[in-house]
Amino acid sequence: MKSQLRLLVVISGLSVALVGCTFPSSRRTLPRSASGSMSVEQTGVVTNVREVNIEGRRTNLGLFGGGILGGAAASGGSGVGGAVVQAGGAVVGAIAGEAVEEAATRKLAQEITVRLDDGRTVVVTQEISTGKYQDGDRVRVLDGYGHARVSMATN
């Protein structure tokens, strides 16, 4: 029984590791929908910045992985009582697995308010990995492909 549990844990760990793998690239990768699309670039000044969280993913990996591990951890009993305990462990494991996945994939972001040069005000939310902005920064706002992003202005 212990060898089966170890095998299950190893397989689950490998599955999680492989799902997170991506091939590195020095170029920015755009969605397929960006091909042939037009973007509009405008410049402005940051007037307000607020840190926020972007919610993480909730996929079947966390749900099923947690359920399998919870059910395996609660196994060992026999009869109806053992089956009820194992089912309860699977449900608790599924809930916990989904919550762990969401927390692990959550991203720190900034909600950036920009007063554009034409007088309009826009708000863009983006991950902090793309740069941290402060009030007074001169920025450009690129709006296209169904998304907007802020970057430092070059002039």
Side-chain angles (χ1 to χ4, degrees), residues 17-152:
L18 290 175
V19 166
C21 290
T22 60
F23 295 105
S25 175
S26 60
R27 294 186 205 123
R28 193 167 65 94
T29 302
L30 298 173
R32 183 175 300 278
S33 61
S35 178
S37 296
M38 184 179 85
S39 297
V40 176
E41 178 182 311
Q42 298 181 32
T43 55
V45 176
V46 174
T47 60
N48 188 34
V49 178
R50 185 171 70 134
E51 287 196 359
V52 295
N53 288 322
I54 297 174
E55 109 181 312
R57 291 186 320 256
R58 292 176 186 251
T59 66
N60 288 338
L61 178 63
L63 182 71
F64 292 138
I68 290 168
L69 290 175
S75 67
S78 60
V80 173
V84 169
V85 169
Q86 188 172 12
V91 169
V92 170
I95 293 167
E98 188 177 50
V100 166
E101 180 187 19
E102 191 280 328
T105 57
R106 191 177 298 156
K107 303 285 186 191
L108 186 59
Q110 285 185 314
E111 188 178 79
I112 307 159
T113 304
V114 178
R115 188 180 65 248
L116 298 173
D117 293 342
D118 68 6
R120 292 181 302 136
T121 299
V122 296
V123 179
V124 178
T125 303
Q126 65 187 36
E127 290 182 33
I128 287 186
S129 63
T130 58
K132 246 184 167 176
Y133 299 95
Q134 301 174 9
D135 290 3
D137 283 346
R138 182 97 179 128
V139 295
R140 68 185 193 122
V141 178
L142 184 63
D143 185 10
Y145 329 122
H147 300 282
R149 65 182 179 280
V150 174
S151 63
M152 295 303 281

